[in-house]
Amino acid sequence: MAAAGLRLLGAVWLSAALLLRLGAAASAAVAVVDGRRAIAATGEDFVCATLDWWPPDKCDYGTCAWGRAGLLNLDLSNKVLLNAVRAFSPLKLRLGGSLQDKVLYGTADLRQPCTPFAKNDSEMFGFTQGCLPLRRWDELNSFFQKSGAKIVFGLNAMNGRVQLPDGSMGGPWDYTNAASLIQYTAYKGYHIHGWELGNELSGSGVGTRIGADQYAADVITLKTIVDDIYRSNPSKSLVLAPGGFFDPAWFTELIVKTKPNLLNVITHHIYNLGPGRDTNLIEKILNPSVLDGMISIFSNLQGILKSAGTSTVAWVGEAGGAYNSGHHLVTDAFVFSFWFLDQLGMSAKYDTKSYCRQSLIGGNYGLLNTTTFQPNPDYYSALLWHRLMGTKVLATTFNGTNKIRAYAHCARDSPGITLLLINLSGNTKTEVSVTAHAAAAAAAGAHKHVARTGYTTAQVSVTNQAAGGGGGGGEHKHGARRHGRNFGHAHTPSFAAVADGATRDEYHLTPKGGDLRSQVVLLNGKALATGADGSIPRLEAVKVDAARPIAVAPYSIVFARISHFHAPACS
């Protein structure tokens, strides 16, 4: 008996030691979602992607990553391309980029041959002027109609400018060629969702710049042209500007001089990770402080729009993260979904209506592979967002490790909410319980109790507050408390019980082989790939007992659609 007792004691000690060791690689936390009211709203077609003008000989750091993905040479007959756009029903596409302000249009008013871009290192951006032939514009619009895409076209804002003594470009915009293209487009019955004036000419500019006062005058000119051409058309195109980097004073002047309704959308660009050649890109993507660096820009622009008394709304018009075409096996690999989805979640909280990813195809940051057209991981991340995250944004507070990013929206085309959880940690699995605000204070008390009791044998049971009352929601907070051990037991009366048999839909994204640089993403453990016919694979959820916490594996992303979560804002 004594020997048996010693063996039993040894087994208990071993189990305890094992639990402690396992507990070091796991943590528990609570996501508090305030479902009483929306804190912001996105547009229905929030996810957007770009197509660019770059020719095949556009090269960065000795690598030419664009291939035949430019607007003048993209293979529009590719089945994967067609299906990839169609899958969004609709996908908004913004046509533009650096060479946008060097594009002429082959309309009747053009008094010169319509020739393509040619490499010339002495020219701005390394290329001569190029031209969009009308037959190519017809082909593009045929593709857009077939795929159901919504199009925003970036116009050349440099025509007619003269250089001013301070180095900027001035003088009124010569709109003749642009107006001819708009007129032709309307005559042909091509629907353009919006016309955007210029690319990266705001503030200090990229390549060159234009003052806000002159830009505002030109935007008003464009608005007059659009109003005139579409006056008998019920679906009048939007007017967007400036498609550049956020500069508070410059943007404020443009907004004030075009209010209340002469500019529909103000667009800004994001390349906050630096140059594509940066060898520390992955470290930046996984750093919560770097990701949070964008909050001030979203917040400042939201504040300017709110205080100006304008109907103008904000979009991110182009965002590739790392400029100069990105970085192969980083910005076109699984790891970039951490940055991309965090950007979507963060920008939505500050009332951004649309977010255009650079690019749909082309460079090293395409949603599709430039040569094979196969979707990269971010394509599937974008498609899941589009299908699961509704327009209403809910205040979400995450109490736990700062390596988890948490965002919640009303679910799209479904009751309840969708919660997005992004785990930037490569060695910690986090068990996330979800509650409405009413349960938050009691949950915090339960956490303190568990923290004092050390390791235990069970996880905190999940849950959702079925009744929808309770206090404020506040901003998404990181780093409130770190946990080195698993939580238990399930005796936490602060969480309301979930109905027997209730389930939720979960979509777990992980990289193939656990490699952050992988260009193959697994959905619930299964690799995503197109069919032999170029079809986009089904994105199927796994059904999970709603009474269990959401298990967020290291270096993974989880969308959880919780249909029984009571959120008055979503009804």
Side-chain angles (χ1 to χ4, degrees):
M1 285 294 292
L6 283 172
R7 281 198 303 274
L8 180 60
L9 187 62
V12 169
W13 179 86
L14 188 64
S15 297
L18 183 62
L19 278 167
L20 281 168
R21 218 164 41 246
L22 288 172
S27 69
V30 175
V32 183
V33 179
D34 185 350
R36 295 168 309 155
R37 62 179 184 86
I39 57 167
T42 68
E44 282 286 343
D45 45 3
F46 176 65
V47 175
C48 163
T50 66
L51 288 170
D52 212 308
W53 291 101
W54 290 119
D57 46 355
K58 152 69 171 170
C59 308
D60 300 281
Y61 320 123
T63 302
C64 308
W66 281 86
R68 297 181 64 80
L71 282 161
L72 295 179
N73 50 40
L74 180 63
D75 177 8
L76 302 174
S77 66
N78 186 281
K79 286 181 183 174
V80 177
L81 179 67
L82 178 64
N83 291 332
V85 177
R86 264 187 183 157
F88 281 80
S89 302
L91 178 62
K92 189 185 291 166
L93 293 175
R94 179 253 185 181
L95 319 184
S98 298
L99 296 183
Q100 164 181 327
D101 293 307
K102 306 188 83 162
V103 180
L104 300 174
Y105 318 117
T107 50
D109 69 292
L110 189 67
R111 303 282 183 253
Q112 64 187 75
C114 188
T115 55
F117 297 105
K119 187 80 178 145
N120 185 333
D121 291 335
S122 65
E123 293 254 1
M124 186 169 74
F125 305 125
F127 288 90
T128 62
Q129 268 189 336
C131 181
L132 171 64
L134 289 184
R135 71 177 180 280
R136 180 60 176 178
W137 186 227
D138 294 339
E139 290 167 3
L140 284 163
N141 277 282
S142 173
F143 172 80
F144 300 148
Q145 287 174 345
K146 245 188 293 187
S147 63
K150 290 176 76 168
I151 302 305
V152 171
F153 187 91
L155 295 163
N156 179 344
M158 286 292 287
N159 276 341
R161 309 289 186 189
V162 293
Q163 190 159 18
L164 301 179
D166 66 358
S168 69
M169 300 301 288
W173 173 47
D174 180 352
Y175 55 81
T176 314
N177 193 220
S180 292
L181 180 70
I182 298 171
Q183 183 75 62
Y184 174 84
T185 303
Y187 169 75
K188 293 285 281 191
Y190 303 148
H191 180 65
I192 301 297
H193 187 61
W195 298 95
E196 184 177 31
L197 184 63
N199 184 80
E200 296 179 354
L201 300 168
S202 57
S204 54
V206 177
T208 189
R209 66 187 194 277
I210 295 171
D213 182 56
Q214 180 61 59
Y215 219 98
D218 300 329
V219 166
I220 293 166
T221 298
L222 175 58
K223 179 78 165 105
T224 304
I225 292 165
V226 168
D227 284 352
D228 183 50
I229 290 173
Y230 291 96
R231 64 182 175 275
S232 58
N233 191 327
S235 54
K236 184 164 61 177
S237 302
L238 301 175
V239 171
L240 304 86
F245 291 97
F246 178 67
D247 177 295
W250 198 101
F251 271 56
T252 299
E253 187 173 351
L254 178 63
I255 290 163
V256 167
K257 289 183 172 168
T258 55
K259 70 176 189 180
N261 57 9
L262 297 174
L263 175 62
N264 302 117
V265 180
I266 194 157
T267 48
H268 66 110
H269 291 182
I270 295 173
Y271 288 90
N272 62 316
L273 299 175
R277 72 193 311 169
D278 189 338
T279 55
N280 297 313
L281 284 177
I282 290 180
E283 288 77 5
K284 287 181 175 180
I285 291 163
L286 298 175
N287 185 335
S289 300
V290 172
L291 298 180
D292 284 341
M294 279 302 300
I295 289 174
S296 61
I297 288 179
F298 291 127
S299 175
N300 285 349
L301 181 52
Q302 182 189 37
I304 290 167
L305 289 170
K306 274 184 175 176
S307 62
T310 179
S311 61
T312 305
V313 298
W315 291 11
V316 173
E318 181 185 313
Y323 58 83
N324 291 343
S325 303
H327 190 118
H328 182 44
L329 299 185
V330 178
T331 55
D332 53 5
F334 179 83
V335 69
F336 210 49
S337 281
F338 294 137
W339 176 85
F340 182 37
L341 287 172
D342 189 68
Q343 278 282 298
L344 294 180
M346 185 187 295
S347 63
K349 279 174 54 180
Y350 293 96
D351 232 25
T352 303
K353 301 303 182 189
S354 198
Y355 191 106
C356 301
R357 166 64 180 266
Q358 174 85 344
S359 62
L360 174 63
I361 188 166
N364 288 316
Y365 37 35
L367 297 179
L368 307 178
N369 182 286
T370 303
T371 348
T372 67
F373 289 77
Q374 284 301 306
N376 285 322
D378 279 2
Y379 173 82
Y380 296 112
S381 296
L383 188 55
L384 280 169
W385 176 290
H386 179 73
R387 291 181 178 176
L388 298 172
M389 304 290 271
T391 59
K392 293 178 181 177
V393 186
L394 304 174
T396 308
T397 307
F398 185 78
N399 296 307
T401 166
N402 71 339
K403 289 288 190 173
I404 294 278
R405 317 284 287 182
Y407 300 99
H409 286 218
C410 293
R412 188 177 184 117
D413 301 328
S414 169
I417 66 167
T418 301
L419 178 66
L420 167 63
L421 298 165
I422 302 166
N423 191 353
L424 304 175
S425 169
N427 51 33
T428 304
K429 171 185 171 183
T430 301
E431 302 273 354
V432 179
S433 298
V434 187
T435 183
H437 192 83
H447 272 215
K448 284 177 187 170
H449 168 72
V450 173
R452 284 197 302 272
T453 60
Y455 76 87
T456 56
T457 57
Q459 289 295 340
V460 168
S461 81
V462 145
T463 141
N464 297 296
Q465 170 76 350
E475 293 299 326
H476 170 176
K477 291 186 284 192
H478 302 295
R481 187 179 293 112
R482 288 193 70 90
H483 300 287
R485 300 187 177 94
N486 285 357
F487 278 165
H489 291 275
H491 308 308
T492 49
S494 55
F495 293 107
V498 175
D500 285 346
T503 61
R504 64 174 176 267
D505 291 337
E506 289 185 4
Y507 302 78
H508 292 252
L509 298 176
T510 51
K512 185 179 181 183
D515 180 6
L516 289 179
R517 293 175 175 266
S518 175
Q519 292 186 283
V520 177
V521 61
L522 309 183
L523 173 60
N524 298 325
K526 181 182 174 186
L528 292 174
T530 58
D533 59 352
S535 58
I536 301 301
R538 288 169 60 87
L539 305 182
E540 295 179 326
V542 61
K543 296 280 184 187
V544 179
D545 180 351
R548 296 180 60 81
I550 301 166
V552 190
Y555 285 154
S556 77
I557 294 159
V558 182
F559 287 92
R561 183 165 58 193
I562 310 170
S563 58
H564 60 270
F565 191 101
H566 181 68
C570 304
S571 54

